[in-house]
Amino acid sequence: MALEQEHVDRVYRRLGELTRAAQHVASDGRSLYQSDRVNYVREEDGTGLFERDAFSYQAAKRLATLDAEHDGLVFGRLDQRDGDVRYIGRLGVRDEEYEPLVIDWRARAAEPFYRATPADPMDVVRRRVLRCRGEQVIGIEDDLLDGESADDDLVVVGEGALLAALSRSRGPRMRDIVATIQAEQDEAIRAPYQGFTLITGGPGTGKTVVGLHRAAYLLYSHRRRFEQGGVLVVGPSSVFMNYIERVLPSLGETSVTLRAIGQVPGDVVRLGRERLDAPAASTVKGGLRMVRVLRRLVRDPQVAGVVQDLRVMVKGEPLTATATDLDRIRSEVWRHHTHNAGREVALSRVLDLLRGRYEVSTADQATEEEDDELTADAFTDAVTSTAQWRMFVNAWWPTLSAPDVLGHLADPGVVGRSADGLLSPDEQSALSASYAEPGWSAADAALLDELVAILGPLPAPEDESDVSLFLDEGSNVSEVVTIADQLTREVEVDPFAEPHDTFAHVLVDEAQDITPMQWRMLRRRGAQASWTIVGDPAQSSWPDAEESDRAVADLIGTAPQRRFRMSTNYRSPAEVYDLAGKVIMGAYERADVPRAVRSTGHDPELRTVSEGSDLAAAVRAAVLDLGDQVEGSLGVVVPVTALATVSDQIAQDPALAAIRDRTVVVTAQQSKGLEYDGVLVVSPDEVIAESPGGVRLLYVALTRATQRLITLDREPGAAWRRSLASPTNGSA
């Protein structure tokens, strides 16, 4: 350990030298161009401005890399057959002679660290994993891969890095697995970027972290393509995104956009706090029938602003555009334009119609002098200046925003007209009732995004003020302000521009829960992108698997695709997964049941609220027992209807004060992708009943535990336990 500490110390000293050098470059960059001019820039100064901005940007980028969190910067060592020693870490570091002190884990030279096995040692004699706290080496775990090539004095320490890592307690954030990536995981991480990479596997197989490490690998291997084009990571909930948010920065990557599925359209509409939909409403909103419902909704008279007739007076001549004329113009414009982009075109056609009728009505009585007086521009001014025209414009073709349009579905009459023949009466009622409360759900986010595509971008405000290129004289600004910074304010909206952000690579986690409407939303952000799709059908809460499969097939089309299956459950102890395996196989025989690699010797506890007690007392007792049994995080998984009650209890119960900081209350849907050392699942039958996914959502909840699991039923004879009596080909 002392020898390893000596090398780690040398790496951190070199890192300090590189940081100071980058700070010096940044200082030099700021001094490249100095001027006291505040109202104009000479043409010859452009080169100085460009060099200053380029130096400052590159220096800031380098400093951000060097100053990032480097806990466990050096985590691996390879002893080669030829006597060469390679250290593997989160960041590549070279000495003064440009010799590698640490090899970046994503580099090709680091592949043997993850892929070498005793059957194929890849010229590696010993693989060593260093466990560090800050800059201090606190542990070593070795794997002897080629005993025949080992020297007699070669030291082999520990029982294996993987099992040591799996036995450690969990915290509130997901850890990276960069030091313990397994061979099948590494193959998926380093797969080619082109087309679609699909990663499947049961709970606890590391699909999520494999996907995140793949994003970091792609940014390293194809930096220009993916850093400039952007990488979007999409997860099932804000709870999940908070859980994984530190993984990529810990791997040296900060240029990635993370969004929960319900926040994806935040680039085109304002979204607030998510609310939960009832299962029936969520199912309706996720189906592709909603595309036709929304298109009808935009054209509904209450929304689109249909009027009967337009009548105006021009030089004493009454001119009329009938309702039939207006409907024809509206239909023609809608065929070639989005609603908002077609507004000016439609109004122009109405003016052309009125002018044609004016010319016909005045043809016999007009003199040459009068014709000269009323030019096309004069006619337009004469019409558009009237009160009738102004009222007509606002009533007939109003500018529509997606939230305003979607809000009309709160009216059962509007829903009835828009969904007639598409949704059943019960589905229509569920859809309308879901908008009785303020706010938007995750399912609404996809509908809002669809409406933005149908309506087009909103026009620019008419009172857009001029933007000054220069700072005010005497302005006291300490940071570098570039020319680009001063020109970023947009003064005109391109009606043909795509309103949403686009990315070069899209990573979708928990993809089995993405609805067909949400796939359409994601496709708009990655039409030209490569994709990584991570999921497990057995954990799906979406009831129509065939419709979802068709949506994914349409997305992939004829693009290259490759599939990887993660076959080993690293999260759940065999005792816990044996229980969960029986539950899922009883309801979904096609479930991919992976093999659990470790055992704790503790079977799950199946509890029932005792007679004469209440749920709160039973929850308190179970949480306290879990707190005594495990040192790390505790997850209390509850039905949606119990979320507020149990959350308040955990926050206020004095008996739970000592373990409150490490206890989290979530719904089964929110728990997807998360893990806790100890898990309490409250009322499994209610979890099943409240979700379209049924037993599959309970399967998710039961597989969150890394050490201990307790289930708590309200009454004896819980229906979900019936499947436990049947055999399964589970994890043993």
PDB file of all heavy atoms in Angstrom, residues 179-195:
ATOM      1  N   ALA A 179     -14.300   1.259 -11.654  1.00  0.00           N
ATOM      2  CA  ALA A 179     -13.239   0.378 -11.176  1.00  0.00           C
ATOM      3  C   ALA A 179     -13.620  -1.091 -11.245  1.00  0.00           C
ATOM      4  O   ALA A 179     -12.755  -1.962 -11.117  1.00  0.00           O
ATOM      5  CB  ALA A 179     -12.869   0.745  -9.740  1.00  0.00           C
ATOM      6  N   THR A 180     -14.903  -1.413 -11.444  1.00  0.00           N
ATOM      7  CA  THR A 180     -15.351  -2.803 -11.386  1.00  0.00           C
ATOM      8  C   THR A 180     -16.203  -3.208 -12.582  1.00  0.00           C
ATOM      9  O   THR A 180     -17.012  -4.129 -12.487  1.00  0.00           O
ATOM     10  CB  THR A 180     -16.164  -3.043 -10.094  1.00  0.00           C
ATOM     11  OG1 THR A 180     -17.249  -2.109 -10.050  1.00  0.00           O
ATOM     12  CG2 THR A 180     -15.296  -2.861  -8.864  1.00  0.00           C
ATOM     13  N   ILE A 181     -16.045  -2.514 -13.706  1.00  0.00           N
ATOM     14  CA  ILE A 181     -16.784  -2.894 -14.917  1.00  0.00           C
ATOM     15  C   ILE A 181     -16.422  -4.327 -15.306  1.00  0.00           C
ATOM     16  O   ILE A 181     -15.248  -4.701 -15.332  1.00  0.00           O
ATOM     17  CB  ILE A 181     -16.442  -1.934 -16.068  1.00  0.00           C
ATOM     18  CG1 ILE A 181     -17.001  -0.527 -15.766  1.00  0.00           C
ATOM     19  CG2 ILE A 181     -17.009  -2.433 -17.387  1.00  0.00           C
ATOM     20  CD1 ILE A 181     -16.536   0.522 -16.752  1.00  0.00           C
ATOM     21  N   GLN A 182     -17.458  -5.125 -15.617  1.00  0.00           N
ATOM     22  CA  GLN A 182     -17.234  -6.507 -16.021  1.00  0.00           C
ATOM     23  C   GLN A 182     -17.179  -6.616 -17.545  1.00  0.00           C
ATOM     24  O   GLN A 182     -17.567  -5.698 -18.267  1.00  0.00           O
ATOM     25  CB  GLN A 182     -18.346  -7.383 -15.457  1.00  0.00           C
ATOM     26  CG  GLN A 182     -18.447  -7.333 -13.944  1.00  0.00           C
ATOM     27  CD  GLN A 182     -17.152  -7.749 -13.254  1.00  0.00           C
ATOM     28  OE1 GLN A 182     -16.755  -8.917 -13.305  1.00  0.00           O
ATOM     29  NE2 GLN A 182     -16.481  -6.806 -12.616  1.00  0.00           N
ATOM     30  N   ALA A 183     -16.723  -7.763 -18.023  1.00  0.00           N
ATOM     31  CA  ALA A 183     -16.427  -7.913 -19.451  1.00  0.00           C
ATOM     32  C   ALA A 183     -17.658  -7.676 -20.320  1.00  0.00           C
ATOM     33  O   ALA A 183     -17.587  -6.973 -21.334  1.00  0.00           O
ATOM     34  CB  ALA A 183     -15.845  -9.303 -19.713  1.00  0.00           C
ATOM     35  N   GLU A 184     -18.823  -8.257 -19.964  1.00  0.00           N
ATOM     36  CA  GLU A 184     -20.011  -8.074 -20.799  1.00  0.00           C
ATOM     37  C   GLU A 184     -20.489  -6.628 -20.750  1.00  0.00           C
ATOM     38  O   GLU A 184     -21.050  -6.119 -21.722  1.00  0.00           O
ATOM     39  CB  GLU A 184     -21.123  -9.028 -20.376  1.00  0.00           C
ATOM     40  CG  GLU A 184     -21.782  -8.720 -19.043  1.00  0.00           C
ATOM     41  CD  GLU A 184     -22.954  -9.643 -18.748  1.00  0.00           C
ATOM     42  OE1 GLU A 184     -23.219 -10.557 -19.561  1.00  0.00           O
ATOM     43  OE2 GLU A 184     -23.607  -9.465 -17.699  1.00  0.00           O
ATOM     44  N   GLN A 185     -20.265  -5.946 -19.635  1.00  0.00           N
ATOM     45  CA  GLN A 185     -20.616  -4.536 -19.541  1.00  0.00           C
ATOM     46  C   GLN A 185     -19.674  -3.690 -20.396  1.00  0.00           C
ATOM     47  O   GLN A 185     -20.107  -2.768 -21.099  1.00  0.00           O
ATOM     48  CB  GLN A 185     -20.555  -4.084 -18.087  1.00  0.00           C
ATOM     49  CG  GLN A 185     -21.565  -4.769 -17.181  1.00  0.00           C
ATOM     50  CD  GLN A 185     -21.366  -4.422 -15.718  1.00  0.00           C
ATOM     51  OE1 GLN A 185     -20.245  -4.141 -15.284  1.00  0.00           O
ATOM     52  NE2 GLN A 185     -22.440  -4.428 -14.946  1.00  0.00           N
ATOM     53  N   ASP A 186     -18.395  -4.011 -20.365  1.00  0.00           N
ATOM     54  CA  ASP A 186     -17.413  -3.247 -21.134  1.00  0.00           C
ATOM     55  C   ASP A 186     -17.663  -3.374 -22.630  1.00  0.00           C
ATOM     56  O   ASP A 186     -17.467  -2.417 -23.385  1.00  0.00           O
ATOM     57  CB  ASP A 186     -15.999  -3.733 -20.789  1.00  0.00           C
ATOM     58  CG  ASP A 186     -14.929  -2.843 -21.375  1.00  0.00           C
ATOM     59  OD1 ASP A 186     -14.825  -1.687 -20.934  1.00  0.00           O
ATOM     60  OD2 ASP A 186     -14.208  -3.286 -22.284  1.00  0.00           O
ATOM     61  N   GLU A 187     -18.127  -4.533 -23.065  1.00  0.00           N
ATOM     62  CA  GLU A 187     -18.422  -4.729 -24.487  1.00  0.00           C
ATOM     63  C   GLU A 187     -19.522  -3.779 -24.946  1.00  0.00           C
ATOM     64  O   GLU A 187     -19.454  -3.192 -26.027  1.00  0.00           O
ATOM     65  CB  GLU A 187     -18.833  -6.176 -24.740  1.00  0.00           C
ATOM     66  CG  GLU A 187     -19.032  -6.508 -26.208  1.00  0.00           C
ATOM     67  CD  GLU A 187     -19.428  -7.955 -26.439  1.00  0.00           C
ATOM     68  OE1 GLU A 187     -19.595  -8.684 -25.445  1.00  0.00           O
ATOM     69  OE2 GLU A 187     -19.581  -8.340 -27.613  1.00  0.00           O
ATOM     70  N   ALA A 188     -20.549  -3.600 -24.110  1.00  0.00           N
ATOM     71  CA  ALA A 188     -21.634  -2.677 -24.463  1.00  0.00           C
ATOM     72  C   ALA A 188     -21.165  -1.228 -24.389  1.00  0.00           C
ATOM     73  O   ALA A 188     -21.540  -0.394 -25.220  1.00  0.00           O
ATOM     74  CB  ALA A 188     -22.822  -2.892 -23.527  1.00  0.00           C
ATOM     75  N   ILE A 189     -20.342  -0.908 -23.412  1.00  0.00           N
ATOM     76  CA  ILE A 189     -19.855   0.464 -23.246  1.00  0.00           C
ATOM     77  C   ILE A 189     -19.053   0.904 -24.463  1.00  0.00           C
ATOM     78  O   ILE A 189     -19.191   2.030 -24.947  1.00  0.00           O
ATOM     79  CB  ILE A 189     -19.002   0.571 -21.966  1.00  0.00           C
ATOM     80  CG1 ILE A 189     -19.897   0.455 -20.720  1.00  0.00           C
ATOM     81  CG2 ILE A 189     -18.216   1.893 -21.933  1.00  0.00           C
ATOM     82  CD1 ILE A 189     -19.131   0.302 -19.434  1.00  0.00           C
ATOM     83  N   ARG A 190     -18.215   0.024 -25.004  1.00  0.00           N
ATOM     84  CA  ARG A 190     -17.305   0.384 -26.091  1.00  0.00           C
ATOM     85  C   ARG A 190     -17.847   0.017 -27.469  1.00  0.00           C
ATOM     86  O   ARG A 190     -17.110   0.054 -28.455  1.00  0.00           O
ATOM     87  CB  ARG A 190     -15.948  -0.290 -25.871  1.00  0.00           C
ATOM     88  CG  ARG A 190     -15.255   0.150 -24.588  1.00  0.00           C
ATOM     89  CD  ARG A 190     -13.963  -0.617 -24.353  1.00  0.00           C
ATOM     90  NE  ARG A 190     -13.434  -0.361 -23.036  1.00  0.00           N
ATOM     91  CZ  ARG A 190     -12.529   0.593 -22.746  1.00  0.00           C
ATOM     92  NH1 ARG A 190     -12.053   1.350 -23.718  1.00  0.00           N
ATOM     93  NH2 ARG A 190     -12.104   0.774 -21.511  1.00  0.00           N
ATOM     94  N   ALA A 191     -19.122  -0.283 -27.570  1.00  0.00           N
ATOM     95  CA  ALA A 191     -19.705  -0.614 -28.874  1.00  0.00           C
ATOM     96  C   ALA A 191     -19.664   0.605 -29.795  1.00  0.00           C
ATOM     97  O   ALA A 191     -19.648   1.747 -29.329  1.00  0.00           O
ATOM     98  CB  ALA A 191     -21.145  -1.088 -28.694  1.00  0.00           C
ATOM     99  N   PRO A 192     -19.655   0.404 -31.119  1.00  0.00           N
ATOM    100  CA  PRO A 192     -19.663   1.539 -32.057  1.00  0.00           C
ATOM    101  C   PRO A 192     -20.852   2.451 -31.793  1.00  0.00           C
ATOM    102  O   PRO A 192     -21.912   2.003 -31.345  1.00  0.00           O
ATOM    103  CB  PRO A 192     -19.758   0.859 -33.426  1.00  0.00           C
ATOM    104  CG  PRO A 192     -19.230  -0.520 -33.209  1.00  0.00           C
ATOM    105  CD  PRO A 192     -19.610  -0.894 -31.816  1.00  0.00           C
ATOM    106  N   TYR A 193     -20.683   3.732 -32.095  1.00  0.00           N
ATOM    107  CA  TYR A 193     -21.734   4.698 -31.795  1.00  0.00           C
ATOM    108  C   TYR A 193     -22.841   4.715 -32.845  1.00  0.00           C
ATOM    109  O   TYR A 193     -23.969   5.124 -32.560  1.00  0.00           O
ATOM    110  CB  TYR A 193     -21.152   6.104 -31.651  1.00  0.00           C
ATOM    111  CG  TYR A 193     -20.739   6.762 -32.948  1.00  0.00           C
ATOM    112  CD1 TYR A 193     -21.664   7.424 -33.755  1.00  0.00           C
ATOM    113  CD2 TYR A 193     -19.409   6.737 -33.374  1.00  0.00           C
ATOM    114  CE1 TYR A 193     -21.294   8.023 -34.944  1.00  0.00           C
ATOM    115  CE2 TYR A 193     -19.021   7.338 -34.560  1.00  0.00           C
ATOM    116  CZ  TYR A 193     -19.962   7.982 -35.337  1.00  0.00           C
ATOM    117  OH  TYR A 193     -19.595   8.580 -36.511  1.00  0.00           O
ATOM    118  N   GLN A 194     -22.554   4.289 -34.074  1.00  0.00           N
ATOM    119  CA  GLN A 194     -23.517   4.450 -35.159  1.00  0.00           C
ATOM    120  C   GLN A 194     -24.809   3.678 -34.885  1.00  0.00           C
ATOM    121  O   GLN A 194     -24.789   2.571 -34.338  1.00  0.00           O
ATOM    122  CB  GLN A 194     -22.925   3.963 -36.481  1.00  0.00           C
ATOM    123  CG  GLN A 194     -21.785   4.798 -37.011  1.00  0.00           C
ATOM    124  CD  GLN A 194     -20.430   4.352 -36.484  1.00  0.00           C
ATOM    125  OE1 GLN A 194     -20.360   3.561 -35.547  1.00  0.00           O
ATOM    126  NE2 GLN A 194     -19.374   4.837 -37.111  1.00  0.00           N
ATOM    127  N   GLY A 195     -25.923   4.265 -35.287  1.00  0.00           N
ATOM    128  CA  GLY A 195     -27.203   3.586 -35.190  1.00  0.00           C
ATOM    129  C   GLY A 195     -27.705   3.473 -33.765  1.00  0.00           C
ATOM    130  O   GLY A 195     -27.600   4.397 -32.964  1.00  0.00           O
TER     131      GLY A 195
END
